Amino acid sequence: MKIQEADAKSLLAAQGLPVPPWAVARTAADARTVAERFLADGASHVVIKAQVLVGGRGKAGGVKLAGSAAEAEEIAGRILGMDIKGITVRKVLVGPAAVIVKEFYLGAILDRASRRIVLMASAEGGVEIEEVAKVTPEAIHRVAAHPLLGLLDWQARELAFAVGLAGPHLRDFVKISRGIVATMRANDADLVEVNPLAIIRESGPEGYVERLVCLDAKVTLDDSALPRHPDLEKLRDLDEEDPADAEARHYDISFIHLDGSIGCMVNGAGLAMTTMDLVKRAGGAPANFLDIGGGAKADRVSAAMRLILADPKVRAILVNIFGGITRGDEVARGLIDARARQERDVPMVVRIVGTNAEEAARLLHEAAFETAATLDEAAAKAVAAAQQATGDAA
Ligand code: GDP
Ligand code: MN
């Protein structure tokens, strides 16, 4: 699950990381009020940032500075409602603008290959790290935290030296690195990214001082670990959630949208992948990955059907059920019910084996469903039906 920058900053701050203050505004008038407060507190400018779950907001015009409350209102008014990579901006973050001396990249990922949290740093901060990885991969430095001992100070120092940090910043960098790893662990995150981590200049009682702060924050949480963090579930941004994803989550269906024309409804992740492979071997392309899970009842089957049919590219549906805990007759009833209610008539091929398969076959036969005995046969029939439907449409 992706969360907004403002929420990601709260998680970082909770681990003691230096994050400049901010507030979130949903209207230009609110942005003005907040800006007035930061300007009264001594900021010369405020920064206004689109809160959308995509990167590269700066380049897209979603990050701007304002020198007065009136200007903040005007800029917020322009950013709110703006379209960034297909997403409409509904809220902005407002905070005192930092005077940036230098930008770095610092991020942590859960590296499944090494089964460790890997911390990455680069002196090429502020630009998208994917770009750095492509053009100058040697500019990204990495260390892996030990599963039991965690990230050791010397490892963080090594990273700091590699990106050219020294003196007082070195100590802060070590603290921030440890805080990022702590943020990963405390929230079961699979990514924590601070880009830019910036050296900023502030005026203190004895002249200018420089310090390292987290100017941007991106955190993605491990969906499978969310049940352990009921408080984090609240950070889900419903403004930006795809309605299909929300419905799939509601019914406990694993659903991933793909590009092909054969809708697949399968129970079990492994069987779903096999089914997709066999669709390909039969000359077709799957429109989705869909696992209705174990013991799928009729209402879940109906929901899965709605999800599949919501994609206009779907020309045929392949249902492949291996009944174990899942009862074949239950799925058959769900299919009959779903077809009676479905708005679009799409050819469907059903293969149900295992628990209560005979009863399922009887029900499907009565309802005049196209069935198949083997998965190869089912895939071939579905692909043929999709090709036929595409030909008819053309
Ligand atoms: P992103 O483009 O979505 O990654 O958004 P960022 O928060 O990283 O902002 C993009 C860029 O805007 C940063 O790399 C900075 O150069 C600049 N920026 C962000 N916040 C400030 C700020 O407070 N002061 C100044 N001067 N620049 C900022
Ligand atoms: Mn950024």
Side-chain angles (χ1 to χ4, degrees):
M1 178 172 95
K2 290 181 181 174
I3 61 174
Q4 296 291 357
E5 173 192 4
D7 295 321
K9 283 183 165 171
S10 298
L11 298 184
L12 291 180
Q15 298 299 325
L17 290 172
V19 181
W22 79 89
V24 173
R26 283 188 160 265
T27 64
D30 282 353
R32 180 192 185 113
T33 311
V34 174
E36 268 164 5
R37 201 177 82 213
F38 287 125
L39 292 167
D41 281 351
S44 76
H45 287 73
V46 288
V47 62
I48 298 158
K49 307 174 73 176
Q51 295 296 282
V52 281
L53 297 174
V54 289
R57 295 164 300 167
K59 255 195 222 156
V63 178
K64 296 268 183 247
L65 303 186
S68 70
E71 195 185 357
E73 179 172 6
E74 190 254 317
I75 288 173
R78 256 191 288 138
I79 294 180
L80 289 163
M82 186 186 262
D83 184 284
I84 298 185
K85 297 183 183 169
I87 300 172
T88 306
V89 181
R90 294 179 198 282
K91 43 205 174 276
V92 290
L93 175 151
V94 182
V99 177
I100 300 174
V101 178
K102 177 155 176 54
E103 301 183 41
F104 299 87
Y105 172 94
L106 183 59
I109 52 158
L110 183 65
D111 179 37
R112 289 173 198 277
S114 63
R115 292 176 293 171
R116 284 163 197 232
I117 291 173
V118 171
L119 198 67
M120 298 176 292
S122 175
E124 311 286 322
V127 288
E128 280 184 63
I129 197 68
E130 291 80 3
E131 204 45 44
V132 181
K134 229 188 291 165
V135 182
T136 46
E138 67 283 357
I140 302 174
H141 308 275
R142 297 178 174 79
V143 295
H146 189 276
L148 295 177
L149 304 175
L151 182 78
L152 301 170
D153 285 1
W154 66 267
Q155 294 184 295
R157 275 201 300 276
E158 214 169 71
L159 271 188
F161 291 136
V163 299
L165 282 169
H169 297 320
L170 193 62
R171 201 186 49 232
D172 290 345
F173 184 90
V174 170
K175 264 200 225 152
I176 292 170
S177 298
R178 296 186 71 126
I180 285 180
V181 172
T183 307
M184 289 282 285
R185 290 185 174 231
N187 303 288
D188 285 314
D190 36 39
L191 172 99
V192 174
E193 206 175 70
V194 176
N195 186 24
L197 171 71
I199 298 180
I200 64 165
R201 181 177 299 140
E202 293 173 320
S203 52
E206 285 144 48
Y208 287 126
V209 285
E210 286 185 358
R211 65 183 184 114
L212 273 174
V213 298
C214 307
L215 268 200
D216 188 13
K218 177 174 167 185
V219 170
T220 60
L221 302 167
D222 182 344
D223 290 317
S224 305
L226 276 177
R228 306 210 302 191
H229 305 278
D231 47 325
L232 296 181
E233 180 62 44
K234 291 195 286 271
L235 304 182
R236 186 184 298 281
D237 193 324
L238 300 173
D239 284 348
E240 282 187 46
E241 196 177 35
D242 181 342
D245 288 344
E247 176 154 26
R249 195 161 40 77
H250 177 76
Y251 285 98
D252 233 345
I253 295 169
S254 308
F255 177 74
I256 295 162
H257 205 253
L258 300 167
D259 282 335
S261 63
I262 316 267
C264 299
M265 187 192 305
V266 189
N267 68 322
L271 190 58
M273 306 241 260
T274 308
T275 305
M276 290 159 61
D277 282 347
L278 291 196
V279 164
K280 283 216 152 163
R281 197 169 71 177
N288 62 275
F289 167 96
L290 191 156
D291 170 12
I292 57 172
K297 295 274 196 247
D299 64 333
R300 222 194 289 172
V301 173
S302 295
M305 193 63 76
R306 278 199 301 278
L307 285 171
I308 291 173
L309 285 173
D311 176 357
K313 285 200 303 298
V314 169
R315 294 273 176 266
I317 297 173
L318 169 51
V319 180
N320 185 28
I321 303 296
F322 189 91
I325 300 167
T326 308
R327 289 169 38 194
D329 60 319
E330 187 101 47
V331 173
R333 283 196 190 86
L335 289 172
I336 292 164
D337 179 52
R339 197 175 64 174
R341 280 188 280 153
Q342 95 195 22
E343 286 167 14
R344 193 154 66 91
D345 194 26
V346 170
M348 194 186 306
V349 182
V350 185
R351 173 189 181 239
I352 298 180
V353 294
T355 310
N356 293 2
E358 292 80 18
E359 174 70 358
R362 194 185 60 73
L363 290 167
L364 291 172
H365 180 72
E366 272 175 16
F369 269 76
E370 171 92 53
T371 57
T374 68
L375 181 48
D376 273 317
E377 184 195 338
K381 280 185 171 173
V383 170
Q387 280 161 355
Q388 169 91 43
T390 311
D392 291 352

